[in-house]
């Protein structure tokens, strides 16, 4: 169920019905109930206000706060990665950058958004791992789940909200050169730009329709 939510197969706002999920996954309702309870603790499932449960929908305010958390954590991650990343990790980081660039350059009719999301997640998590701080990785993992849910929510309507190519290359180059100040500046620029794009997209999605009719005199 977690994988289905984070992949968008169960989209934000989708109502979760135990009997339907049990039938779909071919299991009894007991493990479904336990899974939903854990997903509620993780913030991926919330009450729908009607006595039921649904996949969490991230608001613009939630998104801004999540990005603020990421900024604080990932500034530390890139600074430490400049000190501790080994040659294999640097090669893997470059691989993520090259794959994203190639995927976008292919300009396929239907851009593989989930592939880009996977590359984005892999790149940022590897930076955290490269820091050598396992507690930092644990904290970021909690944020990354919510971020994946958020990205699925926004890219369904506008795939262009996920722009990672140039920004990721700048971050990688700073880490490879062991230039911590440049790496921190690059991650700040990347996350602030991403925050602005995503929050703007959410505000547009949640903007109420103008139903005011002009009176006929």
């Amino acid at each position: 169920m977690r994988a289905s939510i984070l992949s968008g197969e169960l989209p934000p706002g989708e109502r979760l019905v135990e009997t339907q999920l049990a039938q779909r996954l071919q299991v009894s309702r007991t493990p479904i109930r336990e899974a939903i309870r854990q997903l509620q603790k993780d913030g991926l499932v919330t009450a729908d206000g009607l006595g039921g449960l649904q996949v969490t929908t991230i608001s613009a305010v939630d998104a801004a706060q999540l990005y603020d958390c990421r900024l604080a954590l990932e500034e530390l991650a890139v600074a430490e990665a400049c000190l501790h990343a080994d040659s294999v990790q640097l090669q893997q980081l470059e691989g993520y950058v090259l794959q994203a660039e190639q995927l976008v350059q292919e300009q396929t009719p239907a851009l593989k958004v989930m592939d880009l999301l996977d590359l984005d997640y892999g790149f940022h998590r590897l930076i955290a791992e490269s820091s050598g701080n396992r507690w930092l990785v644990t904290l970021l993992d909690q944020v990354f789940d919510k971020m994946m849910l958020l990205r699925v929510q926004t890219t369904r309507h506008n795939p262009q909200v996920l722009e990672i190519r140039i920004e990721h290359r700048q971050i990688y180059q700073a880490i490879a050169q062991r230039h911590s100040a440049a790496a921190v500046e690059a991650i700040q620029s990347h996350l602030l730009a991403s925050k602005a794009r995503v929050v703007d997209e959410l505000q547009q999605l949640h903007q109420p329709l103008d139903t005011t009719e002009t009176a006929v005199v």
Side-chain angles (χ1 to χ4, degrees):
M1 285 181 62
R2 173 184 290 272
S4 295
I5 290 173
L6 297 181
S7 68
E9 185 180 348
L10 287 173
E14 177 85 0
R15 192 164 185 269
L16 301 177
V17 180
E18 286 184 12
T19 52
Q20 294 177 359
L21 289 169
Q23 187 175 34
R24 176 177 178 175
L25 299 175
Q26 297 184 336
V27 296
S28 70
R29 293 176 62 179
T30 299
I32 294 293
R33 192 175 300 118
E34 292 173 354
I36 289 177
R37 190 177 297 117
Q38 183 59 51
L39 290 170
Q40 281 185 277
K41 290 181 181 179
D42 295 342
L44 298 179
V45 170
T46 53
D48 63 6
L50 300 172
L53 296 169
Q54 65 181 10
V55 178
T56 299
T57 297
I58 306 293
S59 70
V61 172
D62 291 330
Q65 292 176 349
L66 282 168
Y67 270 104
D68 289 343
C69 291
R70 281 190 66 182
L71 274 164
L73 294 170
E74 294 204 58
E75 285 174 14
L76 174 60
V78 293
E80 293 298 306
C82 287
L83 298 175
H84 302 294
D86 59 34
S87 58
V88 173
Q89 290 168 327
L90 290 175
Q91 188 174 20
Q92 291 174 328
L93 284 174
E94 185 180 26
Y96 281 122
V97 173
L98 292 173
Q99 288 179 68
E101 291 174 343
Q102 182 178 358
L103 187 62
V104 174
Q105 287 172 359
E106 288 174 358
Q107 295 182 339
T108 54
L111 185 62
K112 297 179 180 178
V113 174
M114 288 310 302
D115 289 341
L116 278 176
L117 286 170
D118 288 343
L119 290 172
D120 181 61
Y121 167 77
F123 179 81
H124 284 275
R125 194 178 194 284
L126 180 55
I127 290 174
E129 292 173 354
S130 301
S131 73
N133 185 332
R134 66 187 179 92
W135 297 109
L136 178 59
V137 176
T138 299
L139 289 171
L140 272 171
D141 274 343
Q142 296 176 34
V143 177
F144 283 151
D145 272 0
K146 316 301 185 302
M147 291 302 305
M148 183 63 76
L149 188 63
L150 172 61
R151 290 295 184 84
V152 166
Q153 184 176 324
T154 53
T155 53
R156 282 165 61 88
H157 298 273
N158 179 14
Q160 299 306 315
V161 82
L162 186 66
E163 175 52 72
I164 63 176
R165 296 166 296 156
I166 298 174
E167 296 167 3
H168 277 194
R169 177 163 287 281
Q170 292 170 341
I171 296 165
Y172 157 71
Q173 289 174 337
I175 295 174
Q177 294 166 7
R178 310 290 181 180
H179 196 324
S180 60
V184 169
E185 183 178 353
I187 198 72
Q188 287 176 339
S189 177
H190 171 51
L191 291 179
L192 287 173
S194 182
K195 175 183 176 181
R197 290 193 298 267
V198 169
V199 170
D200 180 66
E201 183 67 21
L202 285 174
Q203 288 174 337
Q204 292 185 48
L205 286 174
H206 296 159
Q207 187 174 16
L209 295 175
D210 185 3
T211 57
T212 303
E213 295 182 2
T214 303
V216 177
V217 180

